[in-house]
C-alpha cells in the first residue's frame, strides 16, 4: 500500500538514495534544476519512505519546500512538529535548526529550493520521532 | 473527462482566472510563494484548460517551468513547438519570445518561477494553434 501511494504521488523522478550520513530510513533525491541562471538556487525532488527523515540541519541562506505528495513532518527546534500535506509551502529561515521527513504511515515528497549551503547536525533519533 | 483529468493533476490550489488580456481560453493562477527571501523569484501555479494558452511573451530575466500535470506545448519563436509532460522542466532564457499552454485534448499545469518582469506580446491565434 505504501508503494501504491508513492506511485500516485510521483511527479518528478525518484532519483537515487540520499547520503545515509544525513538521513534515517529510505529517502531519495533527484536534482531537477541545477542551471546557474535565472534562479539563485538549485531545485531537488526529495522522496521519503514512511518513517524516513533527514537529520537536524540548518540552511545558511534558507530553503523553500513545495510539498507535491504524501504527508510528512516539519519541525523547528523548540517548536511542535507541523503536519505537512500535498500543496503546502514552507519558507525555512536562515540558520533555523530543523528537520523534515515522512510520517510513519505515509510516503512524503517535496521539492526543495535551496540557495546557499546546508549545515548537517545530529540525527532525529527513533525515541524522538516515535513520540510524534 | 477533462475535469476529471484536472482533478487528478491538481497539487497546488487552482486560484483565479488569469488576466484575459494575456491569455486565450480558460487559465488559472495561484501564487504559492511571494516572500522576498530566500529566493530571487516568486512562484505561481498556472493551470490551462484544454486549448488554453498564453500570448507570445518574453521574460527580462528568464523563467523556469516545472510541469506538475497534464500535457502542453512550449514554443520559442522560429522553432517547432515542444510537447511537455508531467515532470518536465524548462529553463526559458531572458528575452526569448515564446508561449506555453495546454494541448487541445489535455489540461496542463505547471509551476512558473519568474525573476524579473514579463513583456506581453500578441496572442497565439487559433490559426497558428490549430496547426500544432
Amino acid at each position: 500500500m505504501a508503494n501504491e501511494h508513492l506511485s500516485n504521488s510521483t511527479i518528478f523522478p525518484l532519483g537515487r538514495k540520499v547520503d545515509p550520513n544525513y538521513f534515517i530510513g529510505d529517502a531519495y533525491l533527484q536534482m531537477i534544476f541545477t542551471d546557474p541562471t535565472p534562479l539563485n538556487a538549485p531545485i531537488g525532488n526529495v522522496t521519503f519512505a514512511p518513517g524516513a527523515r533527514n537529520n537536524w540541519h540548518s540552511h545558511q541562506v534558507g530553503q523553500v519546500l513545495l510539498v507535491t505528495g504524501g504527508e510528512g513532518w516539519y519541525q523547528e527546534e523548540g517548536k511542535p512538529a507541523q503536519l505537512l500535506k500535498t500543496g503546502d509551502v514552507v519558507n525555512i529561515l536562515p540558520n533555523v535548526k530543523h528537520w523534515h521527513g515522512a510520517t510513519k504511515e505515509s510516503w512524503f515528497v517535496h521539492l526543495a529550493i535551496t540557495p546557499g549551503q546546508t549545515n548537517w547536525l545530529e540525527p532525529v533519533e527513533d525515541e524522538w520521532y516515535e513520540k510524534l
Side-chain angles (χ1 to χ4, degrees), chain A:
Chain A
M1 194 177 76
N3 269 313
E4 185 181 34
H5 191 166
L6 175 66
S7 169
N8 288 340
S9 65
T10 296
I11 297 165
F12 299 101
L14 186 68
R16 295 187 178 188
K17 282 209 179 183
V18 296
D19 186 335
N21 289 314
Y22 304 139
F23 286 76
I24 287 179
D26 288 336
Y28 303 83
L29 171 66
Q30 174 70 52
M31 296 309 298
I32 65 166
F33 185 81
T34 57
D35 293 351
T37 59
L39 307 181
N40 66 343
I43 306 174
N45 184 46
V46 189
T47 303
F48 299 87
R53 66 273 188 182
N54 52 30
N55 286 9
W56 290 97
H57 63 284
S58 65
H59 305 284
Q60 285 184 13
V61 180
Q63 184 178 64
V64 176
L65 303 181
L66 309 176
V67 180
T68 60
E71 295 192 2
W73 296 109
Y74 169 72
Q75 185 170 33
E76 297 183 352
E77 189 177 40
K79 296 185 181 177
Q82 299 176 52
L83 185 63
L84 296 182
K85 298 187 179 186
T86 301
D88 283 343
V89 175
V90 183
N91 184 350
I92 304 171
L93 297 180
N95 303 313
V96 169
K97 182 175 171 179
H98 68 282
W99 66 272
H100 26 122
T103 65
K104 290 171 207 165
E105 301 79 19
S106 176
W107 288 77
F108 180 53
V109 189
H110 65 57
L111 297 176
I113 313 178
T114 317
Q117 296 300 307
T118 297
N119 300 316
W120 290 104
L121 302 165
E122 70 277 12
V124 176
E125 300 292 356
D126 287 347
E127 196 173 43
W128 181 279
Y129 181 81
E130 294 297 332
K131 285 179 186 165
L132 291 176

